[in-house]
Amino acid sequence: KTVEDTSTVVATKGSAGTQVLGAGTVKYPATCYDTNSDRFVTIYTDDGNSGYGTAVVSQITNATTGAVTYGTPVVFNAGDTDPSSVNNRSIAFDPSRNRVLVAFQDTADSKKGKAIVGNVNPSDNSITFGTEAEFESGETNRISVVFDSNENRFVIFFNDADHGNRGKAVVATIAGNLVDISFGTTAIFFNDQTRDSASCFEPDTNKILTVFEDDGQTRGQAVVGTVSGTDITFGSFLSGWNDDTISNVSIAYDTNVNKFLVAFTDAGVSNYPHVIVATISGTNVTVGTKVILSSATNNETISIYDPDVQKTVVAYPSGGSKGQLHYLSISGTVPSIDGSLDFNDTDIGSANMSGAYDPDNDKTLLTFKDANADLNQLMINAQYGTTANLDNNYLGVASTTASDTEEVKIN
């Protein structure tokens, strides 16, 4: 007989295939999962509508085939939210208030940093928004939002382009009316040129890990943040953990081993995708040894933890020709690839991928752009592999008498 082999994952595409979320004129998606409504929310730039910031709700309606249904797209910012390929929009869900928070660069309003609250209605897959609130008055780039479940507040990370691209962070709280947003005091997490940052919350230590490119020194940096009320403070830097330029950083937290998996592009190794394990202790962070994922250039990574198989999905455009993903596990401080899948056979481009995990269906949903410029969604199936188990199994009767070490035919 066979038994599950938890060291391997068989990943397949849902038989419904890729389904078009938006055709031709939409780009730069960011996706989160709303566990209250059991729906995905994806935000994007709609070039067919003057570059307006737009959101759409989607739902996996068949966890076997991966069929997805969609609501009607809704504009959350009636202005240009298209600052080229830089990741300048982000979304996260607050399960304590059952609302999503969208943070974005309002290009039409002097590139200011703004945020807005969204409320999903599962009865018709619709979403409504409150009023925009400004968290940064100057040009704001490379925005990411993290929800701190210990404080029940968000942290918005961004680069302050008007002050040397310093790395900054501000705590954001959804008010009791579930519409308004208040902000704490903005903190600097890196007082120099910062680029390609990503952040992730760790529920075991109630800390936030931020990994970023020190653009002045062209090397990787990492720092741990702690939220207290409406303020955030940072520990010591882990400097130069990668001595070459890093980009396209993404992070997922592995709750099985209580460690982070960080994915990034390494300019020192031909712009190949890599991963490295990071561990928080107090307000400090340590890392293991980086591991290469593919000998092909890439220009983006996304990382999503799948608790059903206890592995992290890392997906990326591979060599400009296809979309590729891996399921990775962590042993100590060493990551290993336990399964892989080519999920798209055309060029995805840059800053055109996102995704989230659906805990209700135990599925990962990827959002990505294809060569036709359509924005698609695709459900990924993942299950453990199998291996033969010969212990205590009846195989048959030996055709002749034989000793313990002698070969014999089984009838």
Side-chain angles (χ1 to χ4, degrees):
K1 64 179 181 180
T2 60
V3 295
E4 281 189 338
D5 178 7
T6 59
S7 67
T8 63
V9 168
V10 178
T12 58
K13 297 183 286 187
S15 60
T18 56
Q19 292 150 89
V20 177
L21 180 151
T25 61
V26 299
K27 58 186 178 182
Y28 308 145
T31 303
C32 76
Y33 189 76
D34 179 334
T35 55
N36 176 60
S37 65
D38 302 334
R39 302 292 191 272
F40 297 90
V41 183
T42 299
I43 58 173
Y44 56 86
T45 294
D46 187 353
D47 277 352
N49 189 26
S50 303
Y52 286 180
T54 306
V56 65
V57 175
S58 59
Q59 173 193 15
I60 295 175
T61 52
N62 188 317
T64 301
T65 66
V68 180
T69 58
Y70 302 95
T72 301
V74 175
V75 171
F76 66 83
N77 178 47
D80 186 5
T81 54
D82 178 13
S84 73
S85 63
V86 180
N87 294 322
N88 278 2
R89 65 207 57 76
S90 184
I91 185 170
F93 176 67
D94 178 348
S96 70
R97 296 174 178 86
N98 295 325
R99 296 293 187 269
V100 298
L101 184 76
V102 178
F104 60 97
Q105 183 202 80
D106 190 347
T107 311
D109 188 13
S110 303
K111 300 183 179 181
K112 295 176 180 178
K114 296 183 179 181
I116 194 168
V117 175
N119 179 29
V120 174
N121 183 347
S123 67
D124 59 359
N125 285 342
S126 64
I127 185 168
T128 55
F129 289 95
T131 303
E132 295 177 357
E134 181 183 300
F135 64 85
E136 175 60 37
S137 61
E139 182 178 343
T140 310
N141 292 319
R142 303 186 186 278
I143 298 168
S144 64
V145 180
V146 175
F147 182 72
D148 182 327
S149 58
N150 179 56
E151 293 285 338
N152 289 328
R153 303 177 193 273
F154 297 92
V155 181
I156 303 173
F157 293 83
F158 61 96
N159 291 7
D160 182 354
D162 289 346
H163 296 89
N165 282 315
R166 291 174 179 169
K168 293 186 175 182
V170 63
V171 176
T173 307
I174 295 177
N177 63 9
L178 303 180
V179 175
D180 296 330
I181 312 166
S182 61
F183 302 105
T185 302
T186 299
I188 297 173
F189 68 83
F190 190 63
N191 198 22
D192 204 342
Q193 298 179 61
T194 310
R195 187 170 63 86
D196 278 23
S197 64
S199 302
C200 186
F201 178 70
E202 178 182 335
D204 297 287
T205 61
N206 296 321
K207 306 292 184 186
I208 297 174
L209 175 66
T210 299
V211 178
F212 59 95
E213 159 73 7
D214 175 353
D215 217 20
Q217 300 295 321
T218 61
R219 62 183 181 179
Q221 297 259 26
V223 68
V224 175
T226 306
V227 176
S228 178
T230 59
D231 295 318
I232 184 169
T233 56
F234 294 93
S236 301
F237 293 105
L238 177 63
S239 298
W241 59 266
N242 195 70
D243 289 328
D244 291 294
T245 298
I246 65 169
S247 59
N248 309 311
V249 183
S250 63
I251 310 174
Y253 183 67
D254 185 329
T255 56
N256 182 48
V257 296
N258 300 336
K259 298 178 186 293
F260 297 92
L261 189 71
V262 181
F264 61 97
T265 301
D266 190 343
V269 189
S270 303
N271 286 313
Y272 293 163
H274 287 70
V275 289
I276 197 168
V277 175
T279 308
I280 287 178
S281 177
T283 58
N284 297 316
V285 58
T286 57
V287 297
T289 302
K290 65 183 180 183
V291 172
I292 190 170
L293 293 179
S294 171
S295 296
T297 59
N298 84 302
N299 53 17
E300 186 173 10
T301 71
I302 60 170
S303 298
I304 305 165
Y305 182 65
D306 182 336
D308 187 47
V309 293
Q310 297 181 334
K311 302 181 193 297
T312 297
V313 183
V314 176
Y316 55 90
S318 179
S321 61
K322 62 183 177 181
Q324 190 169 34
L325 65 80
H326 307 287
Y327 278 80
L328 294 108
S329 60
I330 296 173
S331 178
T333 60
V334 179
S336 60
I337 298 175
D338 297 337
S340 300
L341 174 68
D342 292 343
F343 64 87
N344 189 59
D345 59 4
T346 60
D347 185 18
I348 293 172
S350 177
N352 277 315
M353 289 183 63
S354 66
Y357 180 76
D358 176 349
D360 298 289
N361 290 305
D362 292 325
K363 304 293 182 182
T364 296
L365 189 73
L366 299 181
T367 307
F368 59 93
K369 198 163 185 176
D370 64 15
N372 296 322
D374 294 334
L375 197 61
N376 300 298
Q377 289 194 311
L378 173 67
M379 189 192 79
I380 303 299
N381 295 301
Q383 61 185 30
Y384 291 127
T386 58
T387 186
N389 178 12
L390 301 181
D391 293 341
N392 301 317
N393 280 330
Y394 176 76
L395 299 180
V397 178
S399 57
T400 60
T401 302
S403 64
D404 287 343
T405 59
E406 186 179 354
E407 292 184 359
V408 65
K409 179 182 177 181
I410 300 297
N411 292 325

